[in-house]
Amino acid sequence: MKLIDTHAHIEEIHDLDNVIQRAKMNNVVAIIAVGSSIKSNADILSLASKYNGFIYPSIGIHPIEAETDIKTAITQIISNIDHCVAIGEIGLDYQYDISKTKQKEIFENMLQISKKIGKPVSLHSRKAWDDVFSLVQTIGISKAVFHWYSGPNEVLKKILDNGYFISATPAVWHSPKHRNAIEMTPVESILLETDTPVKYGGIPSEPSDVTKVLNVVAKIKNISIDKLADITTNNACKLFDISC
Ligand SMILES: [Zn+2]
């Protein structure tokens, strides 16, 4: 069995060697490491070269970093994008009181880079699902994953109709909204992830927890874990253009 954690903030982990070893023991063959800021992007790039062929970098500016200097961010992303499998974590977040104008400005800039170079985007869309979808579609992005999607079914339908993916996190266990999205989505459009080191039930996650997501989603979908692993890993390899 091969699994991919398609969204992890591995630069925030302290004992990364052990964490990676546990991930490998749990059939994880690759981790997509997503950046959130100029600093975390730099950290991820160096970790990806250290764990070459296992950690795949995706760099971007998270909406909670909307104050970031756009020019510096764009320069960093463009000059490193050849080594990356995606742009992200990018998007909009309406949960917190962060200037929507600034969030949109930086998000649009990130989407334009994706459009130009043809690499996928890893999207954060908390409470901003419709706006994120609209911008992604308006700018003409062809490859995207709506990470940890927990939004309404109307937007989900548009996401799926456009061939985008959503990803399942360990929250599928206890979050009715996230679970609903996974129930409504065919396995051909689902990726698995942990959003490491996010805490679920008070416990910090790590990439090996992708097996927990696999087990719950397999139950929801009523298919074997082997089959689900096959399909979702294939989905990830296709989206991020990595060999499985
Ligand atoms: Zn994240």
Side-chain angles (χ1 to χ4, degrees), residues 179-208:
R179 193 186 179 96
N180 166 71
I182 297 303
E183 282 169 356
M184 302 294 291
T185 302
V187 288
E188 288 72 21
S189 302
I190 295 176
L191 307 181
L192 307 180
E193 58 137 318
T194 61
D195 207 9
T196 289
V198 165
K199 289 181 182 171
Y200 303 93
I203 302 163
S205 56
E206 59 176 61
S208 61

Side-chain angles (χ1 to χ4, degrees), residues 166-184:
I166 68 165
S167 57
T169 73
V172 70
W173 185 252
H174 59 81
S175 156
K177 285 181 180 162
H178 185 43
R179 193 186 179 96
N180 166 71
I182 297 303
E183 282 169 356
M184 302 294 291

Side-chain angles (χ1 to χ4, degrees), residues 5 7-15 19 34 36 89 148 170 193-200 202-207 209:
D5 184 351
H7 187 113
H9 299 275
I10 47 130
E11 81 288 4
E12 294 176 29
I13 291 174
H14 302 298
D15 57 340
V19 164
V34 288
S36 330
E89 179 172 0
W148 193 341
E193 58 137 318
T194 61
D195 207 9
T196 289
V198 165
K199 289 181 182 171
Y200 303 93
I203 302 163
S205 56
E206 59 176 61
D209 293 327

